[in-house]
Amino acid sequence: MQTRRGPFGHPLPPVEPTPPADVQAAVASARAAQRAWADRPVAERAAVLLRLHDLVIARRSEILDLVQHEAGKSRVDAFEEVADVASVARHYARRTARYLRPRRYRGLVPGMIGARVYRDPHGVVGVIAPWNFPLVLTLGELLPALMAGNAVVVKPDPLTAQTCRLGLELLAQAGVPRGLVQQVDGGVAVGQALIAEVDHVIFTGSTVAGRAVAAQAAERLIGSTLELGGKNSMYVRADADLRLAVPGAARNAFANAGQLCLAAERVIVHRDVADEFVDAFVGRVASITLGNTLDFGYLMGSQISAVQVDKVRNHIDDAVARGATLLTGGRLATDVGPFVVQPTVLGDVPTSAHCYREETFGPVVSVFVVSNDDEALHVAADTGGALTASVWTRDARAGLALARRMSTGSVSINEHYAAVWGSTAVPFGGVGESGSGRRHGPDAVTGVTRAQTIVTQRAAPLGLALSGLHDLPGQTWTSLYTTGLRLLRGVGAS
Ligand code: NAD
């Protein structure tokens, strides 16, 4: 096995694919550890997460170095990984007891039959992750499943396997029992071998791969949580505060060098403010500093690989060849690093260009000018799917009304991704081609548990009465039942 080199040229240990028998063994030993973990009080599990929170913060410098070496991020982008995992650990440590609490429901006969719904862990949850957030989408992603009492086997992308390994080391140090959380390494085949063994799969990645994962999970009748890609729009209304919208667009299009499922790859701007917005936006983007070193001295880092650079360049070249205008950027910044691409703004992008509908997943944003809100909604919806969207306006009521007309899993008003992603208490996810199921909030816990309903007869005479009723002639029984139905309707029972 050859040593690999990261996007900054730094040598990294090779990643050997886990053989299929070892994937099975990893799931089996995770399963063996799971029962005792699920039997522990939630407060004990929470203590592990709070220790992890402290460890992630204490060892942030080491984490940032590794994330930068493997993923090519700027240091400030890499810090999002630390901040997010710490927030998720804190949230689920403090909230899971409430999310798992059995819920009471009214039964068939109010007051006489009571029902409770309990939530039990699935068993072993498989987490399959992409490379763009190597700590958040492995360590961060598995925490709600762990808190719900599951064991977890995680398969990171091979490009970022070391970051996941460091995350699991910290989890072990925080006190997670031996064997409960495991890592398997490799590509698609190892991912498939994992899905063949687990009781639920959480997949983050492309829509194409998500379809295959969902099909394999469906074949085994296990559930899948799918967090996929999309082409996200931000709409700058005529009444937007451009002092917010201009830096907001630059931040939200080029965070993580555009390798962000939530990035704004389209900025739709109202004609009345288009000239002023585009001038200021292009100037701001052209001033974004680039780098590939382990310091905070620049804003935007590298693409992760040559494959990613080619994909980005193809989208830019194709758009320009089809008539798009290059407003800024468009070139490789090889003087900075081998995989660094200038932040790029395109105008006049025709609908035939690949980057019009397809996710670029790189530092390329297209600007569209529209004449009214309806046209903006039309452009925003004219994609293969979107995960999120945003509306920038001084009119909160109009912003909300527009948001409600957008078919995305989330919409932010006067921010794009940071507020919705950072609100850990709020369910977050896609619709249609951008996924199903939710991370964050209570949904991340209910999504990795199954419901068990227990119905209790509170009054013994009811059982006797029901048995007696069954002995009545059918006509008498059904007419009594009909009277009961009318009564329940009349007293407002639900
Ligand atoms: P990818 O789908 O190629 O791979 C993601 C992971 O899935 C990798 O670990 C890969 O080895 C594995 N995999 C691929 N096919 C598989 C299969 N059939 N069975 C099992 N495992 C399989 O995605 P990528 O190119 O690495 O990541 C980029 C994509 O991820 C983008 O589309 C981006 O939008 C999306 N993404 C979405 C979110 C979200 O929260 N919705 C977050 C980050 C990234």
Side-chain angles (χ1 to χ4, degrees), residues 272-468:
D272 291 356
V273 288
D275 288 345
E276 188 185 346
F277 174 86
V278 172
D279 275 357
F281 178 52
V282 167
R284 179 125 192 155
V285 173
S287 73
I288 291 176
T289 46
L290 307 176
N292 74 338
T293 48
L294 303 190
D295 57 70
F296 286 104
Y298 60 98
L299 278 177
M300 203 180 100
S302 174
Q303 300 298 288
I304 193 164
S305 64
V307 172
Q308 197 60 20
V309 171
D310 283 349
K311 201 176 143 206
V312 172
R313 284 181 65 166
N314 283 340
H315 268 202
I316 298 170
D317 294 347
D318 165 77
V320 172
R322 291 174 195 266
T325 312
L326 189 59
L327 296 171
T328 184
R331 308 167 91 93
L332 262 178
T334 37
D335 52 324
V336 181
F339 306 145
V340 179
V341 180
Q342 292 176 334
T344 300
V345 182
L346 297 169
D348 312 310
V349 174
T351 53
S352 60
H354 290 304
C355 75
Y356 180 82
R357 285 197 182 82
E358 289 169 29
E359 183 187 42
T360 305
F361 214 56
V364 182
V365 61
S366 308
V367 177
F368 300 91
V369 178
V370 295
S371 304
N372 54 52
D373 290 347
D374 285 343
E375 197 184 339
L377 288 177
H378 172 76
V379 175
D382 190 15
T383 68
L387 193 53
T388 195
S390 59
V391 181
W392 299 69
T393 176
R394 283 192 173 91
D395 182 340
R397 191 186 290 239
L400 180 60
L402 273 172
R404 294 288 298 134
R405 291 172 67 195
M406 290 176 152
S407 304
T408 50
S410 57
V411 184
S412 300
I413 296 168
N414 293 328
E415 231 316 310
H416 186 78
Y417 84 90
V420 67
W421 179 272
S423 305
T424 316
V426 178
F428 173 84
V431 291
E433 303 233 317
S434 62
S436 60
R438 294 288 179 265
R439 59 160 56 96
H440 291 174
D443 300 46
V445 169
T446 49
V448 287
T449 52
R450 53 174 184 257
Q452 185 190 40
T453 301
I454 298 185
V455 177
T456 310
Q457 318 273 334
R458 293 220 181 84
L462 179 74
L464 295 175
L466 284 173
S467 315

